[in-house]
């Protein structure tokens, strides 16, 4: 059934490409057909030329015409070869751009919790690899039908007109070659499934050695050799998988080559016999003899290269095609077709499906969580370990809420649930009566997380990226930066590049944190979440920043996650979390007076400042 899977996925890929670029795919097929015709015309012109020489009775004009026709046939064949290959390269770049765009949109539509699953990460890794080969693999059938098959059929007809046994022998040779390539496809499909998780681990260990995020601690602890050993083990495992397949491949190739050489010799022998018995002309002998090299070259190309590479890489392309849901694929293709193909920068139009995945929040709303529980995936054990358990919570509009508690108490997870990044495992979340369900929320919510992103872009882009549809005036940008303590001179101005990846300025961790906070403030929002955004800022700067934050958050609901209880005092309400539950709820004064977790933490922190 593997060959059926190969043909089916090829047809699915062709359908996808046709919906993306219908005219281009038709033109590509027509060029391949003309390419095949050009080679057959070249063979026929050789016979015409040599027959003309043997039959020529001194008429130079006819001989010149035959020479010109021969030259024109060769020129046409070489021109079509160049045009077809060049157009294929151009179309490949266009297709890869669009297939990557579809892939990125499918990934962007996934909930954040998907990235907690190792299997999901493997699927994304395999789909990304398959996206790069969609064109060449999916057009394998087009190439085979419109170039190779068309060429072989016409050559077969030509050889049959000379001697039927010549064309029949060629057909027989194809059967074992195709069978061998089917075995290749099965082997490499298994290899890709085994190799994907090994490759991802190998890349991760390499990043632990060379990546910017890890290099400081890796060198400080002197554990570079430890990660190199792990990288080396994964590399050896990957090499063993590939070596095993290469040995298997070369065994099959050896048998195919022996068969091909034997067939080549047999056909030459038959040609000699037919010319000696006057069954074919000298011109036909010369034409077929000269064409045999190209004929078997094309046969080897279609079997050993085009079909073999397509079958070997079909596993990755199939991963791509199966990764994108058919309904989403159709919607994504329709979206791409609506774009202006002549623009250098294409803007993606929002579709009804995208709108359905976003909830437009009311202007002023309360947040309600009813019996919300959440468990992170535990694929190894199959058990459900709850990070949140049976949370009931109501946050009125405009209230500032502080979440405090020990590490691992569930504060950040609760923020992710409220922000719409994670769907609750149990229970429901609603905003002003609008139930979130399983859909994402994007508009109207802003957040600054402790592990914020450091984008290698200009300072202005680092701030503006949170709300690309907002007012782009410099005054608003400068105001937000002033209020959050971001100094344009850090990057040499708002247009100055940040990050060393592209030759920009590198700023301190605290400065990066201020930029992340400015990014969160810049976004037009009705709900603002700060998940320990001031961890790299000292206490005095934090006090100043929270005072400014209090001013900025007057017209929205805000949630603050902090370990410093002094900062939590600016909140209207403080929630104390422990073991995934809310164990206390009240103002600072109420919680200090009560016996419980908050008072114990407050007394402990107060001792630090005595």
């Amino acid at each position: 059934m593997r060959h059926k899977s190969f043909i089916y996925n090829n047809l699915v890929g062709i359908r996808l490409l046709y919906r993306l670029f219908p005219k281009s795919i038709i033109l590509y097929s027509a060029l391949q057909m003309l390419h095949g015709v050009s080679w057959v015309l070249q063979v026929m012109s050789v016979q015409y030329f040599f027959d003309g020489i043997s039959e020529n009775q001194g008429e130079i004009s006819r001989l010149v015409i035959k020479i010109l026709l021969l030259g024109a046939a060769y020129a046409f064949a070489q021109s079509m070869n160049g045009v077809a290959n060049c157009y294929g390269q151009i179309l490949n770049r266009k297709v890869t751009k669009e297939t990557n765009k579809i892939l990125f949109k499918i990934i962007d539509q996934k909930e954040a919790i998907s990235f907690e699953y190792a299997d999901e990460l493997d699927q994304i890794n395999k789909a990304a690899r398959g996206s790069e080969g969609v064109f060449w693999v999916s057009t394998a059938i087009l190439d085979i039908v419109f170039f190779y098959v068309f060429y072989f059929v016409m050559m077969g007809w030509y050889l049959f007109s000379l001697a039927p046994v010549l064309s029949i022998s060629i057909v027989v040779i194809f059967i074992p070659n195709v069978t061998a390539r089917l075995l290749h496809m099965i082997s490499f499909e298994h290899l890709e499934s085994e190799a994907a998780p090994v490759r991802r681990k190998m890349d991760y260990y390499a990043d632990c050695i060379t990546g910017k995020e890890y290099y400081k601690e890796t060198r400080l602890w002197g554990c570079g050799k430890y990660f190199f050993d792990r990288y080396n083990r994964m590399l050896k495992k990957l090499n063993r998988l590939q070596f095993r397949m290469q040995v298997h491949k070369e065994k099959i190739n050896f048998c195919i080559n022996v068969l091909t050489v034997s067939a080549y010799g047999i056909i030459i022998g038959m040609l000699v016999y037919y010319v000696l018995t006057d069954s074919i002309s000298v011109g036909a002998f010369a034409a077929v003899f000269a064409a045999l090299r190209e004929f078997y070259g094309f046969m080897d190309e279609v079997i050993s290269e085009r079909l073999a590479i397509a079958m070997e890489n079909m596993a990755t392309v199939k991963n791509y095609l199966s990764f994108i849901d058919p309904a989403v694929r159709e919607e994504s293709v329709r979206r791409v077709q609506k774009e202006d193909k002549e623009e250098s920068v294409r803007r993606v139009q929002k579709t009804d499906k995208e709108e359905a995945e976003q909830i437009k929040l009311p202007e002023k709303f309360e947040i309600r969580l009813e019996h919300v529980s959440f468990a992170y995936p535990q694929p190894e054990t199959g058990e459900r370990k709850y990070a949140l358990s049976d949370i009931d919570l109501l946050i009125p509009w405009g209230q500032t809420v502080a979440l405090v508690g020990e590490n691992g108490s569930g504060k950040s997870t609760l923020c992710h649930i409220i922000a719409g990044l994670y769907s609750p495992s149990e229970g429901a979340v609603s905003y002003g009566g609008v139930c979130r369900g399983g859909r994402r929320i994007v508009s109207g919510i802003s957040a600054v997380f402790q592990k914020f992103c450091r984008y290698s872009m200009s300072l202005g882009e680092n701030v503006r990226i949170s709300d690309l549809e907002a007012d782009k005036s410099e005054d608003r940008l400068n105001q937000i930066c002033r209020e959050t303590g971001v100094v344009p001179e850090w990057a040499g101005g708002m247009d100055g590049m940040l990050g060393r990846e592209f030759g920009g300025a590198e700023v301190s961790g605290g400065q990066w944190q201020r930029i992340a906070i400015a990014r969160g403030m810049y976004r037009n929002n009705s709900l603002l979440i700060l998940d320990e955004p001031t961890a790299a800022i000292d206490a005095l700067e934090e006090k100043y920043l929270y005072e400014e934050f209090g001013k900025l958050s007057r017209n929205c609901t805000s949630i603050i996650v902090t370990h410093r209880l002094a900062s939590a005092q600016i909140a209207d309400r403080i929630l104390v979390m422990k073991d995934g539950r809310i164990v206390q709820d009240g103002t600072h004064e109420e919680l200090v007076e009560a016996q419980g977790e908050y008072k114990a933490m407050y007394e402990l922190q107060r001792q630090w400042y005595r």
Side-chain angles (χ1 to χ4, degrees), residues 47-48 79 90 98 146 151 156 191 241-242 316 332 353 377 397 453 461 470 498 563 593:
Q47 179 186 354
Y48 183 66
S79 297
I90 294 172
E98 302 307 328
F146 290 103
Y151 168 80
L191 172 64
L241 288 172
Q242 293 176 339
T316 61
S332 299
K353 185 173 182 61
W397 163 253
C453 292
E461 289 173 319
L498 290 174
H563 278 94
E593 292 297 325

Side-chain angles (χ1 to χ4, degrees), residues 404 562-569 574 588 598 601-602 605:
V404 300
T562 181
H563 278 94
R564 294 170 180 167
L565 300 188
S567 300
Q569 294 179 39
I574 300 173
H588 170 73
Y598 187 85
M601 290 188 295
Y602 179 73
Q605 290 190 17

Side-chain angles (χ1 to χ4, degrees), residues 263-279:
Y264 191 87
I266 292 172
I267 292 177
I268 291 178
M270 286 191 294
L271 283 174
V272 172
Y273 171 77
Y274 287 133
V275 77
L276 291 177
T277 58
D278 293 327
S279 298

Side-chain angles (χ1 to χ4, degrees), residues 512-555:
W512 268 117
Q513 206 151 29
R514 285 183 176 275
I515 294 169
I517 294 172
R519 184 187 305 141
M521 299 292 192
Y522 183 83
R523 181 181 178 88
N524 289 322
N525 61 80
S526 301
L527 171 62
L528 177 59
I529 300 173
L530 301 183
D531 187 358
E532 296 192 79
T534 58
I537 298 176
D538 61 50
L540 291 176
E541 289 188 347
E542 179 182 349
K543 179 178 180 297
Y544 163 77
L545 186 63
Y546 274 121
E547 288 175 351
E548 294 299 323
F549 170 71
K551 298 175 184 178
L552 292 170
S553 60
R554 287 173 181 169
N555 297 319

Side-chain angles (χ1 to χ4, degrees), residues 33 149 319 342 347 402 415 442 466 496 518 528 536 541 560 566 595:
M33 183 180 294
V149 170
N319 290 329
E342 297 179 356
R347 294 180 301 174
C415 287
V442 177
S466 64
L528 177 59
E541 289 188 347
I560 305 170
Q595 295 295 327

Side-chain angles (χ1 to χ4, degrees), residues 355 358-362 431 434 441 443:
E355 292 294 338
Q358 299 181 12
I359 296 176
K360 186 173 180 58
L361 299 178
Y431 306 82
V434 179
I441 297 174
S443 60

Side-chain angles (χ1 to χ4, degrees), residues 348-416:
V348 179
Q349 304 297 323
K350 290 184 178 180
T351 63
D352 293 339
K353 185 173 182 61
E354 285 182 307
E355 292 294 338
E357 291 178 348
Q358 299 181 12
I359 296 176
K360 186 173 180 58
L361 299 178
E363 184 177 349
K364 295 182 179 181
F365 57 89
E366 65 179 18
I367 303 170
R368 184 182 296 274
L369 281 72
E370 298 178 283
H371 303 293
V372 168
S373 297
F374 179 81
Y376 283 99
Q378 301 288 330
E380 295 83 4
T381 62
E383 299 177 355
R384 304 189 74 182
K385 185 177 181 180
Y386 283 92
L388 296 177
S389 300
D390 198 26
I391 299 289
D392 283 307
L393 178 63
L394 175 65
I395 303 177
W397 163 253
Q399 191 174 74
T400 299
V401 178
L403 297 179
V404 300
E406 300 175 347
N407 288 331
S409 59
K411 304 185 298 297
S412 293
T413 303
L414 181 58
C415 287
H416 291 160

Side-chain angles (χ1 to χ4, degrees), residues 206-318:
D207 196 40
C208 288
I209 300 170
T210 62
K212 183 179 179 181
E213 182 180 355
Y214 301 97
Y215 82 94
K216 292 180 181 177
E217 290 198 31
T218 298
R219 281 154 181 75
L220 177 64
W221 310 131
C223 53
K225 185 178 184 302
Y226 171 81
F227 286 116
F228 177 76
D229 289 342
R230 288 193 162 220
Y231 170 85
N232 200 35
R233 285 202 296 270
M234 292 300 104
L235 179 61
K236 288 181 178 179
K237 187 173 182 180
L238 188 63
N239 286 341
R240 283 197 298 269
L241 288 172
Q242 293 176 339
F243 177 77
R244 188 180 71 201
M245 301 316 304
Q246 287 300 323
V247 170
H248 179 70
K249 177 180 178 180
E250 293 307 319
K251 288 180 179 178
I252 296 176
N253 283 342
F254 177 78
C255 296
I256 293 174
N257 290 334
V258 170
L259 177 64
T260 301
V261 171
S262 301
Y264 191 87
I266 292 172
I267 292 177
I268 291 178
M270 286 191 294
L271 283 174
V272 172
Y273 171 77
Y274 287 133
V275 77
L276 291 177
T277 58
D278 293 327
S279 298
I280 62 175
S281 67
V282 174
F285 173 86
V288 175
F289 185 82
L292 277 179
R293 182 176 179 181
E294 284 80 11
F295 188 91
Y296 279 98
F298 285 143
M299 181 184 292
D300 184 65
E301 185 177 300
V302 69
I303 298 297
S304 300
E305 294 181 24
R306 195 69 180 93
L307 189 59
I309 293 174
M311 286 183 170
E312 291 171 10
N313 289 278
M314 176 50 74
T316 61
V317 173
K318 186 171 71 172

